[in-house]
Amino acid sequence: PPPPPPPRTFTEPLHVGRPVLVDRDVFLRRAAEVLDRRWLTNDGEMVRELERRIAARLGVRHCVCTCNGTAALEIAARALELSGEVILPSWTFVATANALLWQGLTPVFADIDPETHNLDPEAVRRAITPRTSAILGVHLWGRPAPVAELQALAKEQGVSLFFDAAHAFGNFLDGTSIGNFGACEIFSFHATKIFSTLEGGAIVTNDEVLAGRARLIRNFGFDGLDHTAVLGVNGKMNEICAAFGLTSLERFDDLIAVYRANYLAYADALSGVPWLRLLPMDAESGACPYIVLEIAGDAPVRRDVLLARLHSRNVLARKYFWPGVHALEPYRTLFPDAAARLPRTCALAEKVLVLPTGTDVSCAAIRKIAAILTTTNFE
Ligand code: T4K
């Protein structure tokens, strides 16, 4: 029989990271409270309440909300008093490295384990020099980094360990919430995340001294009305963002269920295609924020052809995080030899497609996306 015709175009574009909306009335009521109080920012009641609820949810002692995840990383690096070199993956969003360089630190990229997309502890060990002051692990796509191995290595080498958990709010490692590992962890609550404060982020830690330092740095270094203790910055979250966050948090568990169901629907629709690998997610207990697909080198169709095909059908898939941070400016110019140490990152960057998920993506849409990917009579 002739092959089935290619699936038709979606009428509305499907995005990776389309913001999830909160209950409008509840949010507007909270926003009105903020206006009534005329306390709009600077450690207001909404921010404090959000910090309490996040800390309680994660089972972590301290939560310091910030204006975005990048600022959270920068403040964390300052609070940890880092210097010299910090080891991190290149297979991440550019903000992970930018935050370090912006603080005058030298990012040193280490290769990943292609099975997990997270740092390979052996590659980290090889990247350690006398100038290394810290390891910055990333829980990429919400999948936990190899925490125990990195912890042991950091201890052995006498360097700090902290985590970029921008993707990992609502995820767990062996039953413990992400947020409890290393000296501290940072989250992004950007609009594209399942739990969002529009723009926002947080540093979470069980270390009281570190949390105190992060609070000082977040507010220009002020420790009194007319007195500063350290070099600070303006990294504060405002009250409207916190009001959105409180409303978003109330919906979080329902949303996780949607994202998990979508992940399982993709797994079902794409199973049995030997040249596609769907990166496994923890659909039992964790959130499944990203749908990450690898296209095998011997696939009948190249990744970029599939991407163009999806885009032509209004499925706005992404090549996150192609080509790897080391290949983006200014890193490409600063570290022209980095690629030689990152063969697995470079290979993976040519394979990955991230597919739309979230409340706008139904199971029927997922079956159609799978058909667009696997139909053979396109060209
Ligand atoms: N560390 C890691 C590992 C990160 O992934 C990130 C951020 C950070 C640190 C830093 O955290 P923040 O400082 O951002 O809090 C997006 C997000 O902006 C960024 O937060 C996120 N990671 C990154 C993975 O994705 P872009 O530049 O790819 O987003 P953009 O503008 O292309 O939007 C994604 C899709 O969503 C598009 O199809 C358009 C759609 N969209 C987006 C927004 C904002 C909407 O429909 N409405 C909207 O309001 O970075």
Side-chain angles (χ1 to χ4, degrees), residues 14-19 67-71 73 92-96 138 140 164-167 186-193 199-201 290 316 318 320-321:
L14 293 178
H15 299 262
V16 175
R18 181 84 165 149
C67 54
N68 58 55
T70 308
L73 272 172
T92 178
F93 189 57
V94 70
T96 316
V138 179
L140 202 75
D164 178 340
H167 299 176
I186 77 90
F187 290 109
S188 165
F189 305 143
H190 183 257
T192 52
K193 306 293 189 283
E199 288 277 1
Y290 292 98
L316 305 184
R318 300 290 292 257
Y320 285 148
F321 289 105

Side-chain angles (χ1 to χ4, degrees), residues 198-278:
L198 305 173
E199 288 277 1
I203 301 148
V204 295
T205 179
N206 288 309
D207 178 337
E208 190 169 351
V209 175
L210 190 62
R213 235 182 278 145
R215 282 186 190 284
L216 280 181
I217 296 170
R218 177 182 70 169
N219 187 32
F220 310 101
F222 277 116
D223 63 349
L225 264 191
D226 305 307
H227 191 265
T228 56
V230 292
L231 173 64
V233 71
N234 181 356
K236 290 170 274 121
M237 177 181 280
N238 69 63
E239 289 287 278
I240 296 293
C241 285
F244 193 93
L246 284 166
T247 319
S248 173
L249 203 54
E250 284 161 2
R251 241 196 121 187
F252 188 62
D253 291 316
D254 293 341
L255 289 174
I256 287 182
V258 172
Y259 280 74
R260 277 186 198 151
N262 282 358
Y263 165 73
L264 293 172
Y266 270 113
D268 185 50
L270 295 170
S271 71
V273 185
W275 46 275
L276 290 179
R277 176 185 184 234
L278 184 65

Side-chain angles (χ1 to χ4, degrees), residues 57-82:
R57 180 173 182 110
L58 303 180
V60 68
R61 300 246 301 278
H62 306 280
C63 171
V64 182
C65 282
T66 58
C67 54
N68 58 55
T70 308
L73 272 172
E74 290 170 7
I75 292 170
R78 281 269 166 188
L80 286 165
E81 299 177 324
L82 304 183

